[in-house]
Amino acid sequence: MPPATTRFAPSPTGLLHLGHAHAAIFAQRAGGRLLLRLEDIDRSRCRPDYAAAALQDLAWLGLSWEQPVRVQSAHFSEYAAVLAGLQARGLLYPCFCTRAEIAASAGAPHQLPLGPDGALYPGTCRALTPAQRAERQAAGLPYALRLDMAAALRVVPQPLYFDEVGEGLLRCDPAGFGDVVLARKDTPASYHLCVCHDDALQGVTLVTRGVDLKPATHLHRLLQALCGWPAPRYRHHGLLLGPDGRRLAKRDHAPTLRALRDAGRTPAEVRALAGFPDPGD
Ligand code: GLU
């Protein structure tokens, strides 16, 4: 089998920390070709200086990757084309609901069933007539695009499986996501759509990422089947934990690679802190 093509796909919403270093080195060691992708579709949270810093920090750590780096925000028209195709097949519908309306439509927030992405959407806007949709769009109301999950499950032969290294074929349960958002009101695409599109486009054959994203793979496999994209293999890794036993996260001020470097740590020491004490390849 040829060596796998893997990718590291950070969102530049802050400086990279040890958890990112773990994910990046894991991706490099799991495959033969490493690609890099900046998942910066959320324009309110991502910053170009964080993107530049990420590339510098990864190079300092000793990683190298193939060019070009894919920058998602430069490709909104490609995601729009995929969405238009799904919409033409009757698999998407516009949703005008606000968060408050979604909570209220189920009586109380705690009564909404929970999916992997949070509260499940009760389907209010699925029932709108074409005239009602046109009227709201003409009035300039902002809307998200949601996948009609029941319709999607009807067009894709069930069951679907994803191939997890070390576990084999795992049966997918995408229905648990409900009518998931594929284009947000404030961002003309969603993480789920862009990640599947780009993994296919970039020829990624092995997706490595944290186990926190394993539930999303159930939905990703459905999107791949709907769009005719190949299914990569998956290898979800454990998350690096801080001294308190909790997962490292930006919001908890996990040590950034930059701070460690400024404190005099060498790349080898930082790789060891990130869980890779051996020199590797
Ligand atoms: N951009 C995501 C993150 O930073 C990773 C997405 C993925 O690997 O599928 O958590």
Side-chain angles (χ1 to χ4, degrees), residues 8 10 12 14-17 20-21 24 36 38 47-65 67 69 256-259 261-262 265-267 270-271:
F8 175 55
L15 291 170
L16 299 187
H17 56 64
H20 293 110
L36 196 60
L38 295 170
R47 287 187 6 201
D49 51 329
Y50 287 141
L55 301 190
Q56 287 164 6
D57 290 350
L58 292 169
W60 175 79
L61 210 50
L63 284 142
S64 54
W65 53 88
Q67 297 295 333
V69 174
T256 64
L257 303 185
R258 200 144 285 219
R261 184 177 80 183
D262 292 347
R265 301 284 197 157
T266 65
V270 173
R271 286 198 299 272

Side-chain angles (χ1 to χ4, degrees), residues 37 191-201 219-221 223-224 229-230 234:
R37 184 162 76 226
Y191 157 69
H192 298 302
L193 183 88
C194 300
V195 81
C196 295
H197 174 273
D198 288 358
D199 283 337
L201 182 90
L219 172 64
H220 295 183
R221 189 65 204 94
L223 296 177
Q224 288 154 359
W229 296 325
Y234 288 87

Side-chain angles (χ1 to χ4, degrees), residues 3-4 6 25-32 206 208 235:
T6 57
I25 300 168
F26 190 94
Q28 184 191 44
R29 296 200 179 180
L206 176 64
T208 64
R235 193 165 161 199

Side-chain angles (χ1 to χ4, degrees), residues 7 9-11 20 37 39 191 195 199 207-210 212-213 220 247:
R7 63 8 178 226
S11 297
H20 293 110
R37 184 162 76 226
E39 302 207 325
Y191 157 69
V195 81
D199 283 337
V207 170
T208 64
R209 59 185 175 198
D212 53 326
L213 284 170
H220 295 183
R247 117 174 229 215

Side-chain angles (χ1 to χ4, degrees), residues 81-95 121 125-126 133 144-158 178-183 193 219 222-228:
V82 176
L83 289 164
L86 291 171
Q87 206 161 9
R89 292 160 67 194
L91 297 172
L92 302 184
Y93 62 86
C95 171
Y121 180 61
C125 286
R126 197 191 321 116
R133 282 178 189 156
L145 290 174
R146 289 185 179 275
L147 182 69
D148 184 334
M149 180 58 77
L153 293 175
R154 278 195 300 273
V155 302
V156 167
Q158 300 292 323
D179 288 356
V180 66
V181 169
L182 291 191
L193 183 88
L219 172 64
L222 176 65
L223 296 177
Q224 288 154 359
L226 280 176
C227 296

